[in-house]
Amino acid sequence: NNTESTAPKFNGWWVLGGLWLVYFATNGIVFNTFPNFNPELMVEFGWNESEVTNPTAILYFSIAFITIGMGALLDRFSARAIMLIGCIGLLGAMVAYASIQSLSQLYGVYLLFSLFLAACGLVPSMFILTKWFSSKRGIAVGILLMASSFGGAVFPPLAGLAIGSMGWRSTALLLTGAAAFLLLIPLWLWIRNHPRDLGQRPDGMPPAKPAKATDAPQGVRLIEALATPRFYLLAVATGSMWFCIVGIIAHQPIYFRNDIGLSAEQLGAVTGTLFFFGLIGKVLFGALSDHFRKDRIMLLAIINLTAGSLILRYTDGSLFQIYIYAAVYGIGFSGVFTMIQLLIADYYQGQSYGKILGVMTCVDT
């Protein structure tokens, strides 16, 4: 009896793993680790705090507008090829960062970061991922978004140890070497634009099954999306979310250290708790969205985020309450972030998805 399983091979999880490693490296190193070199730059060059932190503002501002054009390119050309160009360019910019000698060079490097991060960051990763997953998209997106939190947990401590022994320039080159491994190998081996490139279908569906709507090339065009209230409600939601999150994340260290009186070790533990529960929130809400209406799961995440904010507002300063805040807020902000990405993919998957995702990411940034 020669009966064998006829389940089709599905490479989507390998694609997800490759995208995870790329996002892990880009966000973990450039966004979460290179800013930790700022004190070293201040000592070596005599620059003040404003001079070394302004490039980060330039980075966000530039990415916001570059992403709009990048979204349009993704709708027309190979996303994998765009990511490869972005990764190679990013590695070159990281080498240049290790060699800076002036403030103008620092600003120039951050402009390069913005260009190449737009080409190999979250937007092209989401663009590819939505081609590979449909009914399992929630959990897949949740897993992908975990990568940035892991990067923030792994690279800064390692860089801190390396700076003490070899200096910031050698540490930056060391991180560049790690990034080359994490960026180029997944793109070469695992990441592919679409399941049809390998004769497969989203979620590993057998060829006999009819295609889902999300697998069709048509969809809402950007000009049509701009004519609907839903587009602007999503834009307000995602913009408001990041306004709140960035404001709290940026100011809570000063509040906890100066107003509450936490030690540096306690502050690090609280921050780690927040991002740990952020990992949980991304997978939790992503999984829930595969089984329940996404707009209702989004509302649940917003309530969670609000509850965390209220706990922070009315805490009496006890360490127990602060840890409760970190857990609740961590789950909430990661849940809202995940659900925004999923709603955009569900509503606008199709011929203009790249453009629409680019515009929404511009609002985010």
Side-chain angles (χ1 to χ4, degrees), residues 7-26:
K9 182 179 179 181
F10 181 57
N11 289 74
W13 298 109
W14 286 100
V15 173
L16 172 58
L19 295 172
W20 193 98
L21 289 174
V22 171
Y23 195 39
F24 170 72
T26 55

Side-chain angles (χ1 to χ4, degrees), residues 27-291:
N27 269 41
I29 294 175
V30 177
F31 281 106
N32 297 328
T33 305
F34 277 2
N36 289 1
F37 292 161
N38 288 342
E40 308 299 321
L41 301 180
M42 294 170 68
V43 171
E44 179 169 335
F45 297 106
W47 298 332
N48 61 40
E49 184 176 348
S50 175
E51 288 172 325
V52 297
T53 55
N54 279 341
T56 303
I58 293 174
L59 175 67
Y60 279 103
F61 188 80
S62 301
I63 287 178
F65 294 98
I66 294 172
T67 301
I68 298 178
M70 198 61 63
L73 290 176
L74 289 168
D75 285 328
R76 298 186 59 187
F77 302 104
S78 164
R80 180 174 178 243
I82 290 173
M83 289 189 73
L84 180 60
I85 293 171
C87 288
I88 293 173
L90 183 64
L91 292 171
M94 292 171 70
V95 172
Y97 179 88
S99 306
I100 58 171
Q101 298 292 339
S102 68
L103 194 60
S104 60
Q105 290 177 355
L106 178 65
Y107 282 34
V109 166
Y110 268 80
L111 283 173
L112 291 175
F113 282 162
S114 64
L115 174 63
F116 296 122
L117 281 170
C120 66
L122 181 60
V123 170
S125 293
M126 281 294 302
F127 188 87
I128 292 175
L129 195 66
T130 55
K131 306 293 185 185
W132 279 90
F133 293 92
S134 178
S135 64
K136 301 175 183 177
R137 185 179 294 158
I139 187 65
V141 170
I143 292 172
L144 173 64
L145 298 182
M146 287 173 62
S148 63
S149 299
F150 269 112
V154 170
F155 288 111
L158 294 178
L161 293 173
I163 289 173
S165 60
M166 63 177 63
W168 73 269
R169 292 186 189 275
S170 296
T171 301
L173 291 175
L174 181 65
L175 290 172
T176 303
F181 179 82
L182 293 166
L183 297 177
L184 300 181
I185 290 181
L187 275 164
W188 181 262
L189 294 179
W190 302 316
I191 297 174
R192 296 296 183 270
N193 287 318
H194 199 284
R196 65 169 172 258
D197 296 343
L198 299 176
Q200 300 174 22
R201 291 180 50 84
D203 299 319
M205 292 186 299
K209 289 189 177 182
K212 290 190 174 185
T214 52
D215 196 34
Q218 63 269 14
V220 179
R221 294 182 300 162
L222 176 60
I223 190 67
E224 295 169 338
L226 291 172
T228 62
R230 170 188 285 172
F231 181 89
Y232 298 99
L233 290 171
L234 272 176
V236 168
T238 189
S240 301
M241 173 194 70
W242 282 112
F243 183 86
C244 296
I245 292 171
V246 173
I248 285 186
I249 298 300
H251 293 90
Q252 71 175 11
I254 300 173
Y255 173 66
F256 287 145
R257 287 280 279 149
N258 296 348
D259 295 350
I260 301 298
L262 298 188
S263 66
E265 292 78 10
Q266 289 172 327
L267 174 61
V270 169
T271 304
T273 300
L274 188 145
F275 282 105
F276 172 77
F277 279 92
L279 298 174
I280 295 175
K282 288 172 181 176
V283 175
L284 172 64
F285 283 98
L288 287 173
S289 72
D290 285 335
H291 301 283

